[in-house]
Amino acid sequence: MLQAAYIAQNRDAVVAGLQKKNFKDTDKVDQIIAIDEKRRKVKFDLDELLSQQNSIAKEIGQLFAQGKRDEADALKGKAPLLKEQSRELQEQLEALELEQYELLVTLPNLPHSSVPSGKTPEENEVVKQVGTIPTMASTAKPHWELLEQFGIVDLALGTKITGAGFPVYLGKGARLQRALVNFFLDEAIAAGYKEVNPPLMVNTDTAFGTGQLPDKEGQMYHATEDNYYLIPTAEVPVTNIHRDDILAEGDLPIRYCAYSPCFRREAGSYGKDVRGLNRVHQFEKVEIVQFQIPEKSYETLEGMVSHVERILQKLELPYRILRLCGGDMSFSSALTYDFEVYSAAQQRWLEVSSVSNFETFQSNRMKIRYKGNEDKKTQLVHTLNGSALALPRIVAALLENNQTAEGTVLLPKVLHSYTGFEVIG
RNA sequence: GGAGAGAUGGCAGAGCGGUCGAAUGCGGCGGUCUUGAAAACCGUUGGCUGUUAAAGGCCCGGGGGUUCGAAUCCCUCUCUCUCCGCCA
């Protein structure tokens, strides 16, 4: 959520930023500024009235203490009018605050200056591409065929037990999941991230804090009896660890990594690109999260990108990094790098990670602040997170890209000690 | 699930309806002393809003109410603790 004061002071830059993000209703910016002015005026008048009431009450108290009952009773008569007026202003203020808030939450974050303009995924900027794209034999199969052939993931069984998009991992498939999770966690821990094992259900405050509510309510599974939401990513509970905290600059950066299952309804995304493990409702992921001072957050972002790169290199997968254009970025991000892995049999790039700097967009919602070493000023931290990594598409790419002439799949060396086997099939 | 107790500043812990943003202790910060440190002593030490700065306003788990005036009274919700029951 952007801050009203910032918008008022940087009106033109805000409008330009929103346009870059392909946000249409830039009129809202001026509305917010106008409401803010009105709001401050009402607040000022209200405070003045409250101040008067306070002093009357105080005076009455003193008169009573001096035994001057009559004077005190006389003063009491002045209160009702003030009270009525202030009640009115109070209502106005609340209405204005609500109105302003409702506008504010509809504004996406502003893009960083390095974000390319553009509206569609085709306009994302390819920052780099690493590894060679394997040329597959004509017998190469897409992963959904391999899953079935090897018996390592049963999608139909998941449908029977739960519904479409809830894969059942079996035998080597299950062990590969566990191996990847451990590998990713070990990499993160070695890079200085503290491991967190968070709740998989969160309350509304938490879901609001990272921006899932109100914008993406329909994308989360909702346990209505207790009003909890199943997490769509560990980012949600982990970033909320520091909700309402005031950290010390010396504590930053704070780095967390967390393994968790992720639950996504993916409402509305039926039909294409959903075969096999390409898009599922439940999957596993290791997430990395950082809290950093504003001056260093982009440096930190680059560090997170390098971390993900290292993992992909160790997995020997060809990948490319995209800097998302304004129109393709998420609502709350200021700069996002997407990682895509080339899936040889599908002959397409699969998104396996998304690493973003949210600047103060999330921290403003969550009131995550820090106190400076020097100036002792309290200000909002920058939050960042990224997948390192999400499993299903990694599994898909590993299977498809490492097919041998004999029809088996060779796992990359780095995983052998984790899986306890080297070949599937 | 049943019964009871409670929720106050970073922590602990006071707080007859009136001058309480809140005693006191600990912790933190600054200083005196010391070669340095500890101890002792002195001072200081919440957040939000607002302003050039102030003044002012709001915050004692959340919400609502009574009152000229609420941390203190009432209602309600949430959470925590103790005992019982159940249980991986």
Side-chain angles (χ1 to χ4, degrees), chain A residues 373-393:
Chain A
N373 286 337
E374 300 298 316
D375 52 10
K376 303 289 177 203
K377 221 176 64 188
T378 302
Q379 53 182 315
L380 296 169
V381 304
H382 280 191
T383 62
L384 306 95
N385 67 55
S387 7
L389 289 159
L391 301 218
R393 294 177 194 157

Side-chain angles (χ1 to χ4, degrees), chain A residues 315-352:
Chain A
L315 288 174
E316 302 167 46
L317 289 169
Y319 65 92
R320 64 178 189 179
I321 303 176
L322 306 176
R323 187 184 281 129
L324 296 192
C325 71
D328 198 33
M329 285 168 70
S330 77
F331 186 77
S332 41
S333 169
L335 178 59
T336 297
Y337 291 105
D338 265 12
F339 280 74
E340 295 184 333
V341 158
Y342 195 76
S343 159
Q346 296 181 69
Q347 299 196 328
R348 51 186 287 241
W349 292 94
L350 299 176
E351 182 191 332
V352 292

